[in-house]
Amino acid sequence: MEQRAIDSIIIKLIENRISEEESVLLLEWMEVAENKTYFDEFVETSYLIHSKNSFDYSDSLKKAQKKIHRKKGFRQVEFLKYAAMLVLFLGVGYFFIGKLDNHTIPKGLHSKNQDIVLEMSNGEHLTILDSAQQVFRNKKGSLLTVQQGNKLNYQNKTTTKDLVYNKLIIPYGKTFAVILSDGTLVHLNSGTTLRFPEKFVQGQNRMVFVDGEAYFKVAKDKKHPFIVNSKEVNIRVTGTEFNVSNYDEDQNINTVLAEGAIQMYSDKETYNEKKAVKVKPNELAAWDKNSKRLAVSAVDVANYIAWKDGILIFKHMKFKDIIKKMERHFNVKIKNQNQKLNEEVFTARFENSTVEHVLKSFKSLYGINYSIINNEITIK
């Protein structure tokens, strides 16, 4: 089939004008891996134009399924894989995004009510109230930090000779931000801990430690390199924006560069400019925890930093990894009894949605069943 004809069919799919016969042709065409890749790229580009549309392709695809089944040599399992992927990608995923006004807890689920905690250098724990305006002082009565809604502000022009660390602990289901003493802004995702100095010391590197996921907008200071330790890898910058994710349950430590430049090296090694791996904007540096190797590839940065705006994006993600992301984002426990789903790959996008909205989408488009008992979601 000519490329122009394929492009026309995909556009009709996006605009909800696709016929039953065209659905059959498109699904069969997508059996080829190269065609599936082309389809993904075409749709991502078209999203910017057609994102205001809302539609459901279930009926056309179900009719297409019956026709394809009658064709010799086409296996049912292959159709179900592509059809489910296509419906989720288009019906709810990248286009039809249910926007909700708030993150209400669905019936049957109860928030664990975990608080954001600031741990002082002396071991004292302070509770950070949601969206509050408050001032924190140390035991000497000196100003430590100011809470301004959903962020702490440590920015202070005074200097110090002693390096004193604080720790900010973000539970599942919440996000927060902190402005460090040098003006660096750090967005912290759910389930993240950031260890950082109350004040950076003149003449020393600006070093922080992160467990979880964080987006850094680093204040420029060439004389004092900013170093983020993400357990096994150090990320060295002088002023740039990047995202790092190093949750314990993930196989890779991922760093995505939005702008500027960063250098990465093992935390077991001393920094060497010639040996450090340089990462450019729109690149992902993935450190494999098993092989201890770093691989760099081109990516769409927006997919990795959307969490800052309350957006969940699953980009060619296995269902077992989607579950992990949902547990952190919504602060729920999910038990999957449908093991066949674990390796299935989905692409979807949800903006300001509840966990129930996401589950209902998977149920309607893929046919999964789930129950909610004692704050635990069970997928059957």
Side-chain angles (χ1 to χ4, degrees), residues 115-128 136 139 167-169:
D115 295 315
I116 295 172
V117 174
L118 177 64
E119 182 180 303
M120 313 287 285
S121 59
N122 60 5
E124 181 184 358
H125 289 75
L126 303 177
T127 299
I128 307 299
F136 295 94
K139 287 192 173 182
K167 185 185 291 184
L168 191 56
I169 304 166

Side-chain angles (χ1 to χ4, degrees), residues 1-19 22-23 25-27 29-30 34-47 50 53 55 57 86 89-90 95:
M1 190 184 306
E2 292 185 0
Q3 198 63 58
R4 183 178 298 178
I6 283 294
D7 292 350
S8 176
I9 291 177
I10 296 175
I11 290 174
K12 287 182 179 180
L13 180 66
I14 293 170
E15 296 178 344
N16 198 23
R17 299 186 292 109
I18 193 169
S19 67
E22 289 168 335
S23 296
L25 290 173
L26 181 59
L27 286 170
W29 176 79
M30 287 174 61
E34 293 180 357
N35 294 345
K36 179 64 174 64
T37 300
Y38 177 87
F39 173 83
D40 289 346
E41 294 175 350
F42 189 103
V43 168
E44 288 184 21
T45 302
S46 299
Y47 167 71
H50 301 283
N53 291 345
F55 37 76
Y57 300 106
L86 185 61
F89 185 79
L90 296 171
F95 295 95

